[in-house]
Each structure stands twice: as C-alpha cells, then as structure tokens.
Amino acid sequence: MEFLKQNWPFLLLFSWLAYRWISTRQLKKRLPELKRQGAILLDVRSNGEYQSAHASGSINIPLNELPSRFEEIPKNNPVLVACASGSRSALARLLLKKHGYKNVYNMGNWSNLEAL
C-alpha cells in the first residue's frame, strides 16, 4: 500500500499512456474501413509544422483557426484528427464533437495518418 501512496502520479501517467497507445493501435486497425467511408485527414498543427512534414492527403487547419473553419469539414464523413503529440488533436476532437460531428477520432501524432 505504501508503494501506491508514493507512486500514484507515475502509475496514473503510465495508465494514461497505456490507454492512449492501446486506443491508437485499435484505431489503426479500423483505418481501412474508415478510409472506405471517406475519412477526412485533419492536421491541426500550425502551418509551419504542417509545411515541414505531413501525411499525404491531409488538410491543415490549425487548432486556433478551427472554430472559424468548420464549414470546410464535411459532417457526414469520419474525421481523423492529428497533431504533433495528440494534445491539440484531442482538443480539436472535443470541438468538433461539440459542433455536431459524430465520427471524430484522435489519431495522436500526424505520422499515424500515413498508414492511410
């Protein structure tokens, strides 16, 4: 019990990282299906980050511009959101869900989109 009291922050971080890893891995298995459904590849990094490297076929809408550019993203298609680490894409996912998008997935790092 003493171990848990002393190390709970590390255990919590480990659990969160494991959850993200498993979730992304499961999502990667669904990529062919999502692609057949016309998935939109959305990269929410800055323009400079996107210009330095990005997945083929992805569109770049920086997170800070997303609220004014929702109309560029079809609501009927799955949306796969990515950034550099998964933090901005998690926020973008929440924004999109709040504005009526049903099938929105956080892909984490933009390189995960390259599997498509």
Side-chain angles (χ1 to χ4, degrees), residues 5 12-13 20 27-28 30 38 53 55 63 68 71 78 92 94 102 111 115:
K5 285 182 181 178
L12 185 63
L13 177 62
R20 281 192 51 192
L27 186 54
K28 281 183 175 182
R30 292 192 56 210
L63 180 60
S68 64
E71 72 280 350
L94 291 174
K102 303 284 185 228
S111 64

Side-chain angles (χ1 to χ4, degrees), residues 12-69:
L12 185 63
L13 177 62
F14 174 78
S15 298
W16 179 73
L17 291 171
Y19 168 77
R20 281 192 51 192
W21 181 79
I22 291 168
S23 296
T24 301
R25 192 173 164 151
Q26 289 174 338
L27 186 54
K28 281 183 175 182
K29 289 179 185 177
R30 292 192 56 210
L31 287 179
E33 170 195 342
L34 294 169
K35 185 177 182 180
R36 282 191 300 275
Q37 295 174 8
I40 306 299
L41 311 179
L42 176 62
D43 190 323
V44 295
R45 296 177 298 153
S46 71
N47 291 325
E49 289 173 292
Y50 183 81
Q51 292 303 320
S52 68
H54 60 271
S56 177
S58 63
I59 60 170
N60 178 230
I61 302 177
L63 180 60
N64 63 324
E65 296 177 16
L66 186 59
S68 64
R69 296 179 63 185

